[in-house]
Amino acid sequence: MNDGPILVFDSGVGGLSVVAALRGQLPGAALAYACDNAMLPYGLREDDWLVARILRVCEAAVAASRCVTLVVACNTASTLALDALRDRLSIPVVGTVPAIKPAAAASRSGHFGLLATSATVSRPYTLGLIEAYAAECRVTRVAADALVRVAEGWLTGDAPDLEVIRQALAPLWEDPALDTVVLGCTHFPLLRDFLAAAAPREIHWIDSSEAIARRTARVVSGVAPRHGPGKSLVTALDSRLTAGLARFDFAPPKLLALD
């Protein structure tokens, strides 16, 4: 029996959508959560800076949580720093990538959308996924960085700005044949009901959370059972986060010490 938790990392609260899937896949497992909310949003920052920052925060969070596995529940961080994290850490690291392959299989029309941050929609890694798994499809890529803030606000008690949501989604509706949308940022599944309500027709929404949970379940073995709320670590204390984290069974956040 490994006596440490599974650590879920994201730039903000988006990784909580993956936590929900992990709770379903591994209902008895101990989880910890870490977010780099001091530097949110990641999607608008320079790549080299981000890699160094992600390594620094994840190394500190792994040490503080004494976790047995790290789940990088962030598309931007995964597409940039997954290899570097695996080289640097001695524990398994599970990453997150946009669900391009299942979207290509699910779309009946052959036209689907990718809704993500600016960094993810334009990154070579993402373009490689599209070329490998959706070469025969039309893929409309939409940068929706504003939705990150909407999701963060909603989890901490703010009412979502429905006009911001409508404007972010508008480019997807130019072709009525588009029938599937990949939620390529882990923040976005937190807003799924609002996104669906803003769509002009029925859309198949796809994200990676269940696939990440299944992969994590295959990686971990004999992980410690859960006893009470999990530890949560942040890089900037924010009292508004406490209630949101509690909804996912995490204790009030503590400040993560960075060397």
Side-chain angles (χ1 to χ4, degrees):
M1 177 72 68
N2 296 316
D3 61 0
I6 298 166
L7 175 64
V8 180
F9 166 75
D10 184 31
S11 58
V13 302
L16 294 172
S17 65
V18 175
V19 165
L22 286 168
R23 294 274 190 230
Q25 190 71 224
L26 297 163
L31 302 183
Y33 193 78
C35 65
D36 189 12
N37 57 322
M39 296 299 169
L40 189 75
Y42 273 4
L44 299 177
R45 297 185 179 275
E46 294 294 327
D47 287 2
D48 290 345
W49 182 93
L50 269 176
V51 172
R53 177 71 181 187
I54 291 163
L55 288 172
R56 183 184 179 198
V57 174
C58 285
E59 284 186 305
V62 165
S65 65
R66 301 179 65 184
C67 64
V68 295
T69 299
L70 171 64
V71 177
V72 182
C74 174
N75 287 272
T76 297
S78 293
T79 56
L80 265 181
L82 200 58
D83 289 341
L85 285 167
R86 286 172 173 161
D87 287 342
R88 189 77 65 89
L89 299 173
S90 60
I91 59 172
V93 180
V94 177
T96 303
V97 296
I100 300 299
K101 186 176 181 179
S107 176
R108 294 187 175 185
S109 68
H111 183 189
F112 66 89
L114 170 61
L115 192 72
T117 63
S118 298
T120 298
V121 297
S122 60
R123 184 153 288 127
Y125 188 97
T126 304
L127 301 180
L129 289 175
I130 293 172
E131 183 177 353
Y133 299 114
E136 303 303 317
C137 295
R138 178 182 173 189
V139 183
T140 295
R141 294 177 290 132
V142 175
D145 300 283
L147 294 184
V148 173
R149 289 295 187 189
V150 174
E152 290 278 329
W154 179 76
L155 199 77
T156 54
D158 294 339
D161 189 325
L162 301 182
E163 183 57 30
V164 170
I165 292 174
R166 282 192 289 267
Q167 290 180 8
L169 298 181
L172 294 169
W173 315 137
E174 294 176 4
D175 179 5
L178 185 146
D179 59 4
T180 302
V181 175
V182 177
L183 299 178
C185 171
T186 55
H187 280 78
F188 297 170
L190 298 173
L191 300 172
R192 186 188 296 266
D193 290 346
F194 300 104
L195 301 178
R201 55 186 179 273
E202 187 174 349
I203 293 293
H204 188 188
W205 305 91
I206 295 179
D207 66 81
S208 302
S209 58
E210 294 297 335
I212 298 164
R214 290 192 297 269
R215 172 61 180 160
T216 304
R218 290 194 295 269
V219 167
V220 301
S221 176
V223 69
R226 178 166 38 138
H227 296 292
K231 177 183 290 187
S232 63
L233 302 163
V234 297
T235 53
L237 288 176
D238 181 348
S239 59
R240 285 162 45 92
L241 276 176
T242 300
L245 288 165
R247 288 166 57 186
F248 290 83
D249 199 22
F250 289 106
K254 294 185 177 180
L255 189 64
L256 180 64
L258 300 178
D259 294 333

